[in-house]
Amino acid sequence: MRFIRSTSTSWSQAAAVLFAWNSCVTAIPLNVDDPASIKSAASTVAYGMMKYYTGNNTGDVPGNLPAPYFWWEAGAMFGAMLDYYYYTGDPTYNDLVTQALLWQVGPNNDYMTPNQTKSEGNDDQGFWGMAAMTAAEQNYPNPPADQPQWLALAQAVFNSQALRWDTANCNGGLRWQILFSNAGYTYKNSISNGVFFNLASRLAKYTGNQTYADWAVKSWDWMEGVKLITSDYNIYDGAGILENCSLPDQVQWTYNAGVVLHGAANMYNLTDGSPMWQQRVQGLLTATENYFFPDNANIMSEVACETVNNCNTDQKSFKAYLSRWMAKSSTIAPFIYDAVMVKIRASASAAAAQCTGGQDGVTCGQKWTNGGVFDGSVGVGQQMCALEVIQANLVKAAAPPVTAATGGTSKGDPSAGTSGNPVIGPNPATITTGEKAGAWSLTIFSCIALGGMSWWILLE
């Protein structure tokens, strides 16, 4: 259902009445204590989200979403559908998901697909790489033997990005954009670097290769050094190289907090509960609770844009990723499980109460803090946010993520993404306890200060 803004007071009032009436007579039932109820609600929301997907239509491109959605969000959406199968066991969408994830790999099997490379950012590529990593960790059905494998795809993305690590500017870090001709090439953003950190930590845990762990430590240290990760564990958006990354843009987004939290939780798990990583995980969670669950409430909000009613298409999906990564962090860093689930349970109930729109009466809105009054905002992002936070209530009953040593069946390729010159050696190192303990797409125009000027973030 699409509503056109009008200056007419009577129309605005009528629309408000319609929204309120909708919320009274329709909604997605959800009992967060009942797995069957959670699965039913997730099924309804997943169906609503996949109705937007056209890549399986004749003449369309598998893996792509129609405008106004960008390529990276399609990768994120298929990550959500991997989670849907993982949590619910419903294979309805698996063929579509597999087709999409394999169609978009590109000629070098590194998610640098020709239809996207001219505008592709490190974060865009990284969201597809994280989806492949998720497939490996969840023992999602492997592709045919003659197709690229999930682990190898994640390794290819990581390796190609490790080769882009830029020590000439700001002493390290990844630029937002891959091509110098793209706006944002002089910006080093937290989502690109957070995705890299996230992938490194998960590859270290899955493969047992110390080099991945070393890269995770290196990327954390760099983000902390330029104060993209603050002393109280807030995650700022990014910084410009023209100022040597000395003036970070202090806007905060849920997906930045989530991607770093999940990476840190993997490092905590990898290092057998290192006190350093435990402190970081707890600090990140506390900062997340304080900022993205405002007014001492348990309902998640995209504070930077929801409070001023100006979230764009991309931003309307961000809560999905924080929901995803909070839940997954709670199983590999179980000391935060209880605190996480208080937030997830309340946010899921609020999200389901907001799913009262559309002609079907179960289309999800954006603002979970609206108390069940439908806000009229619909789309892929809104569906994905509701899906991830609802199905996250099944996390404790789900099988733990696998590794190569605990039943993982996905095959890797340490030289993937490097044209045969591996950044990661082919023989996984044995990680000792001591070693362990030592151990956004052309869719955003970021806040970069240029000679006293400031560019506000605009996401297409």
Side-chain angles (χ1 to χ4, degrees), residues 256-315:
N256 285 329
V259 76
V260 177
L261 172 64
H262 187 226
N266 273 278
M267 292 302 291
Y268 167 84
N269 189 280
L270 175 70
T271 57
D272 296 330
S274 155
M276 177 181 71
W277 286 108
Q278 180 171 351
Q279 178 182 344
R280 290 171 172 178
V281 170
Q282 185 60 65
L284 289 163
L285 179 61
T286 298
T288 295
E289 292 172 328
N290 290 341
Y291 191 81
F292 297 111
F293 297 83
D295 303 322
N296 296 313
N298 293 323
I299 300 174
M300 190 185 300
S301 174
E302 195 63 63
V303 175
C305 63
E306 285 187 10
T307 57
V308 289
N309 299 313
N310 71 347
C311 297
N312 65 23
T313 299
D314 290 314
Q315 295 158 357

Side-chain angles (χ1 to χ4, degrees), residues 140-172:
Y140 180 76
N142 290 314
D146 63 343
Q147 297 290 310
Q149 304 298 300
W150 307 130
L151 178 59
L153 286 166
Q155 290 172 309
V157 170
F158 173 84
N159 284 338
S160 66
Q161 296 195 347
L163 293 172
R164 301 181 195 128
W165 187 262
D166 174 30
T167 58
N169 298 279
C170 308
N171 199 35

